[in-house]
Amino acid sequence: MAKLTPQQKARLQALRAAEGPEAARARRQKMLERNANKAAAPTPPNPTPPAATPVPGQLSPEQKAQIAAIRAAEGQDAAKAARFQMRTDAGLKTNPANAPAAAAPPPAAPVPGQLSPEQKAQIAAVRASEGQDAAKALRFQLRTEAGLPTNPANAPAATDTVPPADTAPAEDKPVTFGPRISKRMDKMFGLGQEMIDKFLPDISVLGTVDAARSADMQAALEQAMGGLGGLSAAENEALRARGYEELNRQFMGGQRALGRLQARSGVQGAAATAQFGDLMRQRGQQAAGLEQDIMLRNIAVQDQRRQAFQQLLRTAEQDELARQQFNIGQQANLLAGQQGLFFGGAGLANQLMEQQRQRRLQAEQMEAIRQGQMAQAQAYQNAYGQLMGMSGGGFGSPLDMGY
């Protein structure tokens, strides 16, 4: 008598829990029949394959297996070398390209009083890439470091790393002003800074916005991100329960209709069981279609929610960028205003100081003129005194005479 396997029993228990005992009994009957048919079928004997015969001009299967093991453990090159050695030992044809590479010769011993071959190769490489002068300089350096005799003519020329004082670039020389100009510039810049402090001290005068992402927007993004996986477990279970409820309703109606039909037709036994099996098979196909519909519904929901999340994220980023650009514009306006006030105040201070300088120059010129007139009058007085001394006082004052 055929028996069920543990796997078949587990499937029947799952079917009983999902679709009911009637479906489980029908499936159990089919399983028993299938197992009975398998047990009655004769089992063909398993012939033992004959041993492989070596092929002339080729390696034996054991040698090929050994080469495969070497390839897996040590790589392709080791496998080629092993195959070359085996074919050589067996007197078979070999490919010279697969011969193992000869060991590298030992390095040449350095000759006393000369550079090593490696150093000479280094000098040759420098000569090829940088020229003869660079190669001579490197050879001089290597021989000096090795304590070997050198030719002073090959010594590298000394280079001046610091330019002379008279040839230094103008931008490197510090710009200095006299005390008078420095004092004037201090007054100019001081007034400019006073204008900034008074009328436009900081950006709060213009006003900015918070460019950070709001808490509400962050919460909306997190909620949208949480639904990117499709329907939740509760939503899937609700869809599945409603679908199976409709399937069971249709199955029960079909079962009743089949019973009435079989009663009128007098169908019994194996024929009735076969008809009921067809009904069960239809229900299984409908159940599979229901699961596929739920999966497709999840895919569609995932796509819709992903598009909605991308649109929401794009809106949030555009809003943040617009606020950042607004703040940058406000900062630029502040800087422009501060620069205008600064240089405007400095220009005003320069204008006032220039007016003071002009007035001072005019006063100095008037004082020089007055001093010149006084010196001229004093000279006339001195000349008059000399004339009076020589003539005994017969002339009037030079000022009275119109001098």
Side-chain angles (χ1 to χ4, degrees):
M1 179 179 181
K3 295 183 179 180
L4 298 177
T5 63
Q7 292 82 1
Q8 290 174 331
K9 292 180 180 179
R11 286 199 294 270
L12 286 176
Q13 291 179 358
L15 182 63
R16 183 180 294 108
E19 303 181 12
E22 295 180 357
R25 282 196 294 270
R27 180 64 59 84
R28 182 177 184 275
Q29 183 64 31
K30 289 186 176 181
M31 290 181 178
L32 290 174
E33 293 176 359
R34 190 182 301 113
N35 293 346
N37 294 334
K38 288 183 179 180
T43 302
N46 186 16
T48 303
T53 304
V55 180
Q58 295 185 7
L59 297 177
S60 65
E62 293 79 8
Q63 290 174 320
K64 292 181 180 179
Q66 185 178 358
I67 293 173
I70 294 175
R71 180 182 296 108
E74 304 180 20
Q76 183 67 22
D77 294 337
K80 286 183 178 180
R83 185 175 184 274
F84 182 87
Q85 185 64 37
M86 291 180 183
R87 292 185 67 87
T88 302
D89 296 341
L92 303 178
K93 293 183 179 180
T94 57
N95 186 0
N98 296 332
V111 181
Q114 296 184 9
L115 296 176
S116 64
E118 293 80 7
Q119 292 173 322
K120 292 180 179 179
Q122 184 179 359
I123 293 172
V126 171
R127 181 183 297 108
S129 60
E130 303 180 23
Q132 184 66 24
D133 294 337
K136 286 183 178 180
L138 178 60
R139 185 174 185 276
F140 182 88
Q141 180 182 353
L142 294 176
R143 291 186 68 88
T144 302
E145 294 174 353
L148 301 177
T150 57
N151 185 1
N154 294 333
T159 57
D160 295 332
T161 58
V162 180
D166 55 349
T167 61
E171 58 270 19
D172 294 339
K173 296 180 180 180
V175 180
T176 58
F177 301 99
R180 185 174 178 180
I181 298 180
S182 298
K183 184 177 181 180
R184 184 168 184 170
M185 293 177 65
D186 291 341
K187 290 182 179 180
M188 292 168 54
F189 297 154
L191 182 58
Q193 188 62 44
E194 289 179 6
M195 298 285 286
I196 292 176
D197 296 339
K198 183 176 181 180
F199 296 104
L200 204 61
D202 54 39
I203 200 171
S204 61
V205 177
L206 300 179
T208 57
V209 297
D210 185 9
R213 184 174 297 172
S214 64
D216 294 338
M217 179 59 74
Q218 184 63 32
L221 287 172
E222 293 177 355
Q223 182 178 3
M225 188 180 298
L228 294 179
L231 298 175
S232 64
E235 291 171 336
N236 281 317
E237 186 61 28
L239 285 176
R240 187 174 287 105
R242 186 173 61 186
Y244 274 107
E245 181 180 356
E246 178 64 21
L247 287 181
N248 291 333
R249 186 185 63 80
Q250 295 177 0
F251 176 75
M252 295 301 294
Q255 188 177 8
R256 287 192 296 270
L258 178 63
R260 289 192 297 270
L261 180 61
Q262 290 177 347
R264 287 195 303 268
S265 304
V267 178
Q268 297 179 354
T273 303
Q275 292 177 355
F276 183 77
D278 292 339
L279 184 63
M280 288 293 298
R281 184 165 49 257
Q282 293 176 2
R283 187 189 182 283
Q285 293 174 353
Q286 292 175 348
L290 174 62
E291 293 296 333
Q292 184 178 6
D293 292 341
I294 294 175
M295 181 181 66
L296 295 176
R297 178 70 178 276
N298 272 275
I299 294 174
V301 170
Q302 286 178 357
D303 186 61
Q304 294 173 359
R305 292 180 178 178
R306 182 169 56 253
Q307 294 178 1
F309 174 76
Q310 291 174 352
Q311 181 64 32
L312 181 62
L313 180 60
R314 190 179 302 110
T315 301
E317 291 176 345
Q318 291 175 351
D319 179 65
E320 294 168 8
L321 178 60
R323 285 182 286 172
Q324 291 174 0
Q325 292 175 343
F326 175 79
N327 289 341
I328 293 174
Q330 292 294 79
Q331 292 175 355
N333 294 335
L334 171 68
L335 180 59
Q338 288 178 342
Q339 289 178 347
L341 289 172
F342 180 81
F343 291 110
L348 178 60
N350 184 48
Q351 182 179 358
L352 294 175
M353 286 186 290
E354 182 63 25
Q355 293 177 358
Q356 292 177 357
R357 189 180 72 87
Q358 293 295 337
R359 287 195 296 268
R360 186 174 62 253
L361 291 176
Q362 292 176 0
E364 291 176 354
Q365 291 175 357
M366 294 299 295
E367 180 64 22
I369 293 173
R370 190 180 67 82
Q371 291 292 338
Q373 291 176 348
M374 291 178 61
Q376 186 178 8
Q378 185 64 38
Y380 288 156
Q381 290 286 351
N382 293 337
Y384 173 73
Q386 293 176 0
L387 291 174
M388 288 296 292
M390 292 186 294
S391 62
F395 298 97
S397 172
L399 296 177
D400 295 336
M401 296 172 63
Y403 290 101

